[in-house]
Amino acid sequence: MKRRGFHRNLLTLAAAAAAGPLLGPAPARAAARRAVCRRTVTEYALPPAAETHEIVKLPGKPVVLVSQMSDSRLVKLRLDPDTEEVVGVGSAALGPSDAMLHGLAVSRRHPGRVWATHEGGNRLLLVDPRPDDLDAPPRVERAIDVPGGGKGPHYVGEFDDELWVTLKGSDQVLAIDHSEPSRFRLFPAEPHPIFIARHPVGGDFYVSQDQSSSLLRIDPGTGRARQIPVPADRGSTPVGLVAGAGAVWVVLLGTAESGTGTFGRIDERGRFTWFRLKDPAARSAGLLHLAFDPPHGLWLLGSSIVSSRASDQIVRVEFDSSYSTVLDEQVAALPTQLCKAHRILALPGGGVLATELTSATVARLAAGPMC
């Protein structure tokens, strides 16, 4: 297994305002007030593939799964239980190479299993990844054909007895009973539906639509749906969506010309609060994905996927306890730039993993204080 490490040591001064001049008769006391902060980003090479996409961690197992769409392979990463470093990699085909394995979601109804999508094969799969053996090929336990003429299942999420799926090929959203697939609903969307999140308070579903720069809001009870355009003065191209801290959160990717480092919070009444990164290294970031870092943190992933001018980077934003005020921002650049950083996964021990779309790589930012 190949790995590349990047370390950045930063010398910071505690209580600098009270420290006085650094030059003077008491260098020992000044040195004692200094603390060295360390950011460590390590890249792990995966089996070669043109497109490395989604990433999930199996509950209760030191195993992470990654989908490679270009050849429909499922990669298994074994983590050290203590350090969360990647210590083993296995890979196996999950369907024919043109099936385009993409979405991954942990199943609660079927413990130990994951849902996956064949974007090219128009199928939803319930998979036993066989996590205890890196070399064991995954088993498909169920396959559900996308009904109603829908095409291109991209994201999949399990919400109680339903799967909610974005159909990127037909610009629709599918809600389907996974125990009785004949019960399903299709909702028209704008180009192109990417992610889905259910509001943790209100219960409505939100769908990001990147090419229309709009969000689709769906009431699952009535089936009523409406479009919510992203304000042009905030940015464009909503992609990543995640539910947490009493809200749904969305990031904006921007355009080939510029990102805006913008992300937003949606409350239970559908009202938006927008935030823009202020750190000079990230305020023009094209943000593609996000994840929570409890108790009050949010991980953001900046990507070069639509702009060679954009940096591939991991940003951590620290909020107050109400998640209404940003207290701090910290930025770590990925060692391999122009990799089209794709998805981000927060680990239980405090570290974070990010997939790199075009370099067949997973990057790990080690746990511990950034500075």
Side-chain angles (χ1 to χ4, degrees):
M1 177 179 60
K2 297 180 181 178
R3 55 184 262 174
R4 300 185 294 276
F6 173 79
H7 308 280
R8 184 178 181 187
N9 295 324
L10 299 175
L11 193 64
T12 63
L13 302 181
L22 294 183
L23 298 177
R29 286 205 314 267
R33 283 191 288 266
R34 298 172 185 165
V36 176
C37 297
R38 182 179 177 91
R39 300 177 194 164
T40 302
V41 179
T42 305
E43 293 184 320
Y44 300 91
L46 307 184
E51 296 185 15
T52 298
H53 280 266
E54 307 301 320
I55 182 167
V56 296
K57 185 185 181 300
L58 295 177
K61 298 278 185 180
V63 175
V64 167
L65 304 178
V66 178
S67 65
Q68 293 185 311
M69 191 170 82
S70 48
D71 52 3
S72 294
R73 296 186 73 82
L74 186 69
V75 180
K76 291 185 269 189
L77 306 179
R78 178 173 292 139
L79 306 183
D80 181 292
D82 297 320
T83 67
E84 295 184 333
E85 294 183 45
V86 177
V87 295
V89 178
S91 172
L94 187 56
S97 60
D98 62 353
M100 300 171 63
L101 174 68
H102 190 272
L104 296 174
V106 172
S107 174
R108 293 188 177 183
R109 287 288 194 256
H110 304 278
R113 307 303 190 256
V114 295
W115 293 101
T117 65
H118 272 170
E119 191 167 323
N122 294 319
R123 289 186 181 87
L124 313 175
L125 311 174
L126 182 64
V127 178
D128 176 3
R130 303 176 71 188
D132 297 326
D133 185 350
L134 291 183
D135 297 321
R139 293 194 189 103
V140 177
E141 296 186 342
R142 290 181 61 197
I144 302 172
D145 291 332
V146 172
K151 295 180 181 179
H154 190 72
Y155 163 90
V156 60
E158 181 188 271
F159 300 91
D160 304 320
D161 292 328
E162 285 190 317
L163 300 178
W164 282 68
V165 185
T166 53
L167 302 180
K168 192 174 178 181
S170 56
D171 290 328
Q172 295 170 299
V173 175
L174 168 67
I176 185 168
D177 187 325
H178 53 79
S179 62
E180 183 49 67
S182 63
R183 296 198 289 263
F184 68 90
R185 294 175 289 171
L186 285 168
F187 302 92
E190 297 293 331
H192 290 299
I194 303 296
F195 280 101
I196 300 172
R198 181 171 65 181
H199 201 287
V201 179
D204 283 359
F205 285 85
Y206 287 84
V207 184
S208 58
Q209 301 162 123
D210 58 356
Q211 295 302 305
S212 63
S213 202
S214 178
L215 297 172
L216 178 63
R217 181 181 179 181
I218 302 171
D219 182 328
T222 65
R224 180 176 175 268
R226 66 184 183 93
Q227 292 287 341
I228 308 171
V230 172
D233 62 335
R234 297 296 182 178
S236 65
T237 319
V239 185
L241 281 176
V242 65
V248 165
W249 297 76
V250 59
V251 292
L252 302 183
L253 180 59
T255 67
E257 286 70 40
S258 178
T260 59
T262 299
F263 59 103
R265 180 182 188 274
I266 311 170
D267 70 13
E268 66 274 17
R269 297 173 61 183
R271 297 174 300 190
F272 285 73
T273 301
W274 293 101
F275 303 90
R276 183 168 183 179
L277 296 171
K278 296 180 180 179
D279 190 295
R283 74 185 154 206
S284 296
L287 300 177
L288 187 68
H289 203 226
L290 69 166
F292 276 93
D293 182 27
H296 306 130
L298 195 66
W299 294 107
L300 306 173
L301 185 66
S303 178
S304 61
I305 191 168
V306 296
S307 175
S308 60
R309 303 176 185 177
S311 297
D312 295 286
Q313 58 188 240
I314 296 171
V315 182
R316 188 182 184 278
V317 179
E318 179 76 16
F319 283 88
D320 66 352
S321 60
S322 68
Y323 270 89
S324 60
T325 302
V326 173
L327 302 180
D328 191 28
E329 300 172 8
Q330 301 158 343
V331 183
L334 296 185
T336 301
Q337 289 294 297
L338 300 181
C339 66
K340 301 183 179 180
H342 210 60
R343 302 290 185 252
I344 195 166
L345 173 71
L347 297 173
V352 63
L353 296 176
T355 59
E356 300 179 6
L357 181 73
T358 56
S359 63
T361 296
V362 164
R364 171 179 170 266
L365 177 62
M370 294 169 62
C371 55

